[in-house]
Amino acid sequence: MSAVKTLAAPIPPGGMIGILGGGQLGRMLALAAASLGFKSHVFSDKTDAPAFQVATAKTAAEYTDWTALKTFIEQCDAITFEFENIPAETVEFAAKLAATNPAASALRITQDRIKEKTFVRSLGIGTPAFQTVTSERAAATAFDSLGCAHAVLKTARMGYDGKGQALVGSASEAAHGFALLKQPAILEAYVDFQYEMSVVAARGMNGAFAAYDPPENIHGGGILHRSLVPGRVTEQIAREVKSLTQKIADAFGYVGVLAVEFFVSRDGKLLVNEIAPRVHNSGHWTIEACAVSQFEQHVRAIAGWPLGDPGRHANAVMQNIIGPDANDWAIYAGRGGGLHLYGKSEAKPGRKMGHITTLTPKTH
Ligand code: AMP
């Protein structure tokens, strides 16, 4: 593979940050870039991307439209992405022409649950037990060999927000589930967890590492509903998961913000569920509760700037506003918390339309 571009010096204010992906994460990245004096250019395959509304420049084209991509990249001083299902080839292409972070190598691993879990385990970090599944028969055998009452069948690629997943309770259900998916998958032991949590952290170009306090995350139907900081996360567990996250970020040689999702099992084990090579929904509370939000932190990292202080000055509850709930925007506005609406036109069920963060005095 040909060499990737690196930054010779930090990008000064006025520089152009290129963002691949135009969803709410891209939108909040563009806003944070603006607050540091940068301009932003958003590239999305949708014509009505929420990030277009706040970016300096926009390109709507396919992620494999190499001509449109080249024109976009040549106008940017640094490139990043806001969504892990951007084709890795697109990020590799960008990396040859402009400093692009996180690296495509981290994206390639995290896009594939098999590679991701194998990578995490190679670092000596726990994950739920899993088996790779490529046929109905393999799915049935995997269920029996996992030896648990329930297992989760997940597509190896392109899964997010619980999409492409099914809970199965027998070998025949696992086989049937695979027949519906019709693509490589993993069968993962169902974890009867105490709670779920995540670490949102940044690694700078000089290897500096800064982690936010980990929130407890509450999901419904595979979608994040609420993040509570500190929730049930003790100071000791917070220290442990931050250190595991640093190990992962260092192993990738990562630059930017990443999120590592953990299950805390009934017997107190910390198991990595998933790594997101981007800013993350469970880090939105940092906008109100920290001096430097995850979005500013990411822009700082990819622009070669020093990382900001991830310290938290309050307890926080972040609640997602999902689907038609967004029609109740006036009720949310009345609560007085930090309200963020993403400018999406249609409140389809399951669609993340906004979020609200409420602060209370810091306990620990
Ligand atoms: P994922 O897309 O892998 O992050 O899964 C979405 C959500 O489904 C997780 O946040 C959990 O709430 C649930 N889930 C996924 N895998 C498992 C598992 N092995 N055991 C229990 N719950 C799971």
Side-chain angles (χ1 to χ4, degrees):
M1 209 213 299
S2 58
V4 300
K5 287 264 186 207
T6 51
L7 285 183
I11 303 171
M16 182 71 92
I17 305 294
I19 303 169
L20 290 161
Q24 64 269 20
L25 300 177
R27 178 181 171 104
M28 289 184 274
L29 280 171
L31 291 169
S35 76
L36 293 179
F38 291 118
K39 302 187 183 95
S40 59
H41 189 152
V42 170
F43 189 110
S44 170
D45 62 352
K46 312 249 174 353
T47 50
D48 62 347
F52 282 167
Q53 298 163 12
V54 302
T56 320
K58 59 179 185 178
T59 301
E62 294 299 319
Y63 292 116
T64 48
D65 179 339
W66 309 112
T67 311
L69 271 172
K70 188 160 180 286
T71 308
F72 157 73
I73 296 160
E74 283 170 353
Q75 293 169 28
C76 296
D77 297 297
I79 305 280
T80 190
F81 52 88
E82 58 107 48
F83 185 47
E84 65 271 37
N85 290 332
I86 302 280
E89 297 74 26
T90 302
V91 176
E92 273 159 6
F93 179 82
K96 288 180 200 158
L97 302 172
T100 300
N101 284 293
S105 50
L107 181 63
R108 280 206 178 273
I109 292 174
T110 55
Q111 275 180 339
D112 183 314
R113 292 187 193 272
I114 301 165
K115 286 190 187 143
E116 179 179 71
K117 289 196 158 54
T118 308
F119 167 77
V120 169
R121 288 184 163 216
S122 76
L123 300 175
I125 301 172
T127 70
F130 74 98
Q131 302 260 333
T132 303
V133 167
T134 49
S135 69
E136 289 176 47
R137 180 195 282 261
T141 313
F143 185 87
D144 289 335
S145 74
L146 284 174
C148 44
H150 289 96
V152 188
L153 188 65
K154 301 181 178 180
T155 55
R157 299 177 63 82
M158 303 297 275
Y160 68 99
D161 280 353
K163 293 188 171 72
Q165 295 194 14
L167 183 68
V168 295
S170 67
S172 62
E173 271 181 34
H176 180 64
F178 183 83
L180 295 177
L181 290 181
K182 289 194 204 73
Q183 56 178 299
I186 63 165
L187 190 69
E188 190 176 286
Y190 179 80
V191 180
D192 179 24
F193 49 76
Q194 291 178 55
Y195 61 89
E196 293 184 76
M197 60 185 291
S198 56
V199 177
V200 175
R203 190 170 179 280
M205 281 186 187
N206 60 359
F209 179 78
Y212 293 100
D213 282 346
E216 173 182 348
N217 297 322
I218 297 167
H219 292 82
I223 301 181
L224 181 66
H225 279 226
R226 285 193 300 155
S227 289
L228 321 173
V229 207
R232 278 180 278 178
V233 184
T234 62
E235 284 174 78
Q236 193 202 327
I237 289 190
R239 266 195 303 278
E240 283 177 39
V241 287
K242 283 180 185 178
S243 137
L244 296 177
T245 301
Q246 183 165 15
K247 204 169 180 181
I248 290 170
D250 284 344
F252 278 138
Y254 197 87
V255 174
V257 165
L258 84 169
V260 182
E261 296 178 22
F262 292 87
F263 296 132
V264 182
S265 72
R266 296 267 160 218
D267 52 358
K269 288 202 189 79
L270 300 169
L271 304 172
V272 170
N273 172 37
E274 198 166 58
I275 305 170
R278 54 168 170 80
V279 287
H280 196 251
N281 194 170
S282 70
H284 290 359
W285 57 272
T286 60
I287 297 174
E288 281 82 13
C290 302
V292 175
S293 76
Q294 62 163 346
F295 300 102
E296 177 178 334
Q297 195 73 299
H298 185 73
V299 174
R300 282 169 167 265
I302 63 155
W305 285 27
L307 296 182
D309 175 5
R312 171 174 64 87
H313 57 75
N315 287 0
V317 174
M318 186 287 309
Q319 186 189 338
N320 272 336
I321 303 172
I322 299 170
D325 284 358
N327 298 331
D328 293 333
W329 60 270
I331 297 174
Y332 290 107
R335 286 200 203 159
L339 182 60
H340 303 259
L341 297 169
Y342 305 147
K344 296 184 183 178
S345 47
E346 217 187 324
K348 289 186 201 145
R351 195 169 193 208
K352 291 176 179 170
M353 300 298 292
H355 73 269
I356 182 164
T357 300
T358 1
L359 302 182
T360 49
K362 188 172 177 181
T363 49
H364 67 273

